[in-house]
């Protein structure tokens, strides 16, 4: 198998102090930095929204973040404005070793369409190109970590499995939003049930490859 490391949305707005902070989200950064040297190919995704993205609660008068609305016939969770293209919040975590990243895939650029997965928008209308990019390089196994476990990591892993990639989820390399208590554990169980292997970074970093 040819492996790649996939870092999902390790961006300032998802870290403590950010617009859509994930509790303890900065804990994934040293895990990413420790794993990167063990991989020949490292890909990072970036949530990359236009300023008035319709996933932002502020675009819907009278609505608050974390409410659910119907948008174009689909349920849409409303989020605080986050990861606006070119803004500091959309940047990679400052402590992340970006020199170790070989390829960046951006998502969520269509104002009307959210994109939790690094492979497809939430309605599976458009591919980001990540799947074809990886397959063109002969990569068939993804080791995944990042933010948030119960949103973008989950949908990225489920799409990766559906695309035929083997997936290992780095358990200590993810943190979740937990809009409802237990969401993160449920997401990890859903990924495992779909075929992902759940592993700790210590075992991955120490393994010969
Ligand atoms: Zn977003």
């Amino acid at each position: 198998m040819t492996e790649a490391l996939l870092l999902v949305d390790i961006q300032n707005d998802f870290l403590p102090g950010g617009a859509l902070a994930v509790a303890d989200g900065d804990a994934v950064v040293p895990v990413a930095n420790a794993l990167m040297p063990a991989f020949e190919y490292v890909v990072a995704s970036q949530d990359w929204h236009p300023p008035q993205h319709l996933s932002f609660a502020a675009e819907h008068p009278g609505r608050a973040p974390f409410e659910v609305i119907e948008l174009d016939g689909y349920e849409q969770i409303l989020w605080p404005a986050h990861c606006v293209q070119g803004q500091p919040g959309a940047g990679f975590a400052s402590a992340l070793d970006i020199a170790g990243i070989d390829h960046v895939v951006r998502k969520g650029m269509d104002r009307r369409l959210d994109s939790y997965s690094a492979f497809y928008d939430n309605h599976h209308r458009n591919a980001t190109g990540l799947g074809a990019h990886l397959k063109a390089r002969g990569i068939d196994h993804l080791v995944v970590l990042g933010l948030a476990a119960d949103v973008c990591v989950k949908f990225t892993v489920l799409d990766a499995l559906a695309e035929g990639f083997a997936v290992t989820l780095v358990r200590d390399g993810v943190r979740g939003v937990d809009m409802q208590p237990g969401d993160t554990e449920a997401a990890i169980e859903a990924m495992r049930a779909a075929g992902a292997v759940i592993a700790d970074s210590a075992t991955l970093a120490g393994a010969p490859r």
Side-chain angles (χ1 to χ4, degrees), residues 14 20 47 49 53 55-56 79 82-83 107 114-116 152:
F14 298 128
L20 182 39
D47 215 22
H49 296 309
H53 195 258
S55 73
F56 297 169
W79 305 103
H82 63 279
C83 295
K107 61 191 179 65
D114 213 351
S115 187
Y116 297 157
C152 292

Side-chain angles (χ1 to χ4, degrees), residues 57-188:
E59 297 304 307
H60 306 273
R63 297 291 186 171
F66 307 110
E67 286 185 21
V68 178
I69 64 162
E70 188 177 301
L71 178 63
D72 294 337
Y74 295 87
E75 282 195 351
Q76 172 70 50
I77 301 171
L78 296 178
W79 305 103
H82 63 279
C83 295
V84 174
Q85 296 171 5
Q87 298 298 310
F92 288 119
S94 57
L96 186 66
D97 179 15
I98 57 169
I101 297 169
D102 298 297
H103 178 73
V104 174
V105 59
R106 288 173 169 168
K107 61 191 179 65
M109 287 92 84
D110 184 324
R111 180 170 180 258
R112 300 196 71 85
L113 267 178
D114 213 351
S115 187
Y116 297 157
S117 163
F119 290 90
Y120 292 96
D121 65 74
N122 287 7
H123 307 161
H124 271 238
R125 282 191 200 149
N126 302 304
T128 61
L130 177 61
H133 178 90
L134 296 170
K135 286 175 182 174
R137 281 155 185 77
I139 292 162
D140 54 8
H141 180 198
L142 295 175
V143 176
V144 181
L145 61 89
L147 301 168
D150 47 348
V151 189
C152 292
V153 171
K154 179 176 85 169
F155 287 97
T156 295
V157 165
L158 295 179
D159 276 349
L161 291 164
E163 288 285 298
F165 295 97
V167 175
T168 300
L169 178 79
V170 184
R171 178 65 187 89
D172 54 322
V174 298
R175 295 293 187 280
V177 176
D178 281 329
M179 281 176 58
Q180 305 293 332
D183 279 356
T184 295
E185 284 311 314
I188 289 168

